[in-house]
Amino acid sequence: MTTAYAPQPRAHTPVYARLYVQVLVAIALGALLGALQPDLASSMKPLGDGFIKLIRMIIAPVIFATVVAGIATMGDIRDLGRIGIKTLLYFEVITTPIVLVISLAVVNLVQPGAGINAVASSLDPKTVAAYATSAESLTTTQFLLNVIPNTLVDAFAKGDILQVLLVSVLFGLSLLFLGERGKPLLTFIEGLSDALFGVVKIVMRAAPVGAFGAMAFTIGTYGVGTLLSLGKLMAAFYLACLLFILLGMGAIARVCGFSIIRFILYLKDEILIVLGTSSSESVLPRLMARLEQLGCSKRVVGLVVPTGYSMNLDGTTVYMAMAAVFIAQATNTPMPLSKQLGLMAVLMLTSKGAAGVTGSGFVTLAATLSAIPSIPVAGLALLVGVDRFMSEARAITNLIGNAVAAVVVAKWEGALDVERMQAELEKRI
């Protein structure tokens, strides 16, 4: 892109009025309440749930308006196909292998399951029965069929991102083919998009309340003691996520001409909201707006980010790879390199079906373990207690991975205003 960009001076905002400061304070207060008054803290759950519901309420229409407007203004249907192919190649050929290699390297070096000596027959299968049952229907064919909604309205009623994306692409193509006749409707949709992002700004004012409620509930319900019981696994998992972000995404960012550290600082508000709510969906509309502000083309952001939220779950992939090997270590199940390579191959497929499923991490992990019979599915019971404490890192890694993906694809497409990106990233925090 050749559009000149002159950075505007930022108006001075008091520290207490900045969203990331408010969210940080809310997280700290929530954790403190959970430690001191567990019963009261557990009752704060509706605050977190309410905020996430407010965001989910707006996700489907935001994706629809953004994707439709992006496709309808492309001018050439070949642009859509090219962006789609580049996005899928990036997900499968670049990020997923990096995720799996780093995850398996860390879990083999740290060996968090060594010494637990859990006997598979002694594990309570009832704890994970629901997840195992759901996994039985999680086939590739079923996943593909689920992308097609029963009706046009059903996609929006259920809020399934992939279904909404499919409807949006078809509608955008229709407007593209209509040409001048579709201009009035396109103008309306672009205006609707502006209004929807205005709603997002209003809803985000409640982010500190949502972060407080979610954090208070987590600490109050599960307790700090739960962290200590499987602390080694959690430490290894957080280390793997950190290495993936700093080394894996850092290397890709450097090739594309930006610093991953500055990029993370640019998205600090979104990252802290995800930390408090344990849901990357809580910032999806806001993330799309921030990436456009960074200089990424609206049409690229509209396609890459929603697709990534369904098919590029880097944090979930880290979790699944490490959890599978951890269970093998904890139950003294032999896991040679050949089996780990087989695990990588299975995860390349099963990790793509982790979105839009209740308890997705456990369901897809159960599906993965069922493909490797030597690892007992009942071993999932070992993870139930600490799974909630690892969801924050999963969500943050998913967020950063998809944000980097949008910038990379925009760069490949020549749809990234590099001058604007550098100016935004160099602004003082």
Side-chain angles (χ1 to χ4, degrees), residues 84-407:
I85 290 172
K86 287 180 178 179
T87 300
L88 294 178
L89 283 175
Y90 175 81
F91 291 163
E92 284 297 336
V93 179
I94 299 179
T95 57
T96 302
I98 292 174
V99 169
L100 293 174
V101 168
I102 290 176
S103 304
L104 293 178
V106 171
V107 77
N108 279 288
L109 288 173
V110 179
Q111 296 200 355
I116 293 180
N117 299 320
V119 179
S121 60
S122 66
L123 298 171
D124 185 5
K126 295 179 182 179
T127 308
V128 295
Y131 301 109
T133 301
S134 297
E136 292 176 2
S137 61
L138 195 66
T139 63
T140 303
T141 302
Q142 193 60 44
F143 172 71
L144 293 174
L145 287 175
N146 284 341
V147 174
I148 306 172
N150 293 324
T151 66
L152 195 68
V153 178
D154 189 48
F156 295 90
K158 292 194 300 185
D160 187 299
I161 292 178
L162 271 181
Q163 291 185 356
V164 172
L165 187 60
L166 175 64
V167 171
S168 304
V169 169
L170 293 175
F171 201 91
L173 287 173
S174 177
L175 281 183
L176 181 62
F177 295 146
L178 281 173
E180 288 298 322
R181 287 185 297 160
K183 285 292 178 65
L185 183 54
L186 175 59
T187 301
F188 169 77
I189 291 175
E190 289 176 333
L192 176 64
S193 178
D194 292 338
L196 289 171
F197 278 107
V199 174
V200 171
K201 288 182 180 179
I202 296 172
V203 172
M204 291 310 296
R205 293 178 182 273
V209 177
F212 168 79
M215 186 57 67
F217 167 76
T218 299
I219 301 297
T221 302
Y222 298 101
V224 180
T226 310
L227 297 173
L228 303 177
S229 61
L230 291 174
K232 193 174 181 181
L233 170 62
M234 290 187 58
F237 173 68
Y238 274 78
L239 174 62
C241 289
L242 190 63
L243 290 176
F244 169 71
I245 292 170
L246 296 181
L247 299 183
M249 293 294 96
I252 292 173
R254 177 167 295 186
V255 170
C256 290
F258 66 97
S259 163
I260 191 64
I261 300 298
R262 286 186 178 275
F263 188 69
I264 291 171
L265 292 175
Y266 175 75
L267 296 175
K268 62 183 180 300
D269 287 5
E270 291 73 27
I271 290 172
L272 287 172
I273 292 169
V274 170
L275 174 64
T277 61
S278 298
S279 170
S280 56
E281 282 188 353
S282 62
V283 295
L284 193 157
R286 183 184 170 96
L287 175 64
M288 295 170 71
R290 293 283 281 165
L291 289 170
E292 288 179 35
Q293 179 185 338
L294 189 65
C296 296
S297 165
K298 185 172 185 175
R299 60 192 174 93
V300 173
V301 171
L303 287 173
V304 176
V305 175
T307 304
Y309 263 64
S310 296
M311 301 186 67
N312 187 45
L313 304 176
D314 296 322
T316 303
T317 305
V318 172
Y319 171 76
M320 291 168 62
M322 295 192 70
V325 178
F326 166 78
I327 292 171
Q329 293 172 352
T331 56
N332 298 317
T333 302
M335 195 71 173
L337 180 60
S338 59
K339 283 191 176 182
Q340 292 193 31
L341 292 176
L343 172 65
M344 285 183 63
V346 173
L347 284 171
M348 291 278 284
L349 298 175
T350 56
S351 63
K352 304 308 174 191
V357 182
T358 303
S360 60
F362 266 31
V363 172
T364 48
L365 182 54
T368 303
L369 295 183
S370 64
I372 308 173
S374 59
I375 304 178
V377 177
L380 286 172
L382 294 169
L383 302 171
V384 172
V386 293
D387 176 75
R388 184 62 179 75
F389 290 101
M390 292 191 282
S391 62
E392 291 90 350
R394 283 202 300 265
I396 290 173
T397 305
N398 291 340
L399 167 73
I400 295 174
N402 285 313
V404 170
V407 177

Side-chain angles (χ1 to χ4, degrees), residues 405-428:
V407 177
V408 171
V409 175
K411 175 86 171 180
W412 288 351
E413 275 291 296
L416 174 66
D417 189 332
V418 178
E419 183 183 346
R420 179 172 182 169
M421 177 181 70
Q422 295 298 342
E424 287 288 338
L425 295 181
E426 289 171 9
K427 284 181 179 178
R428 292 185 180 274

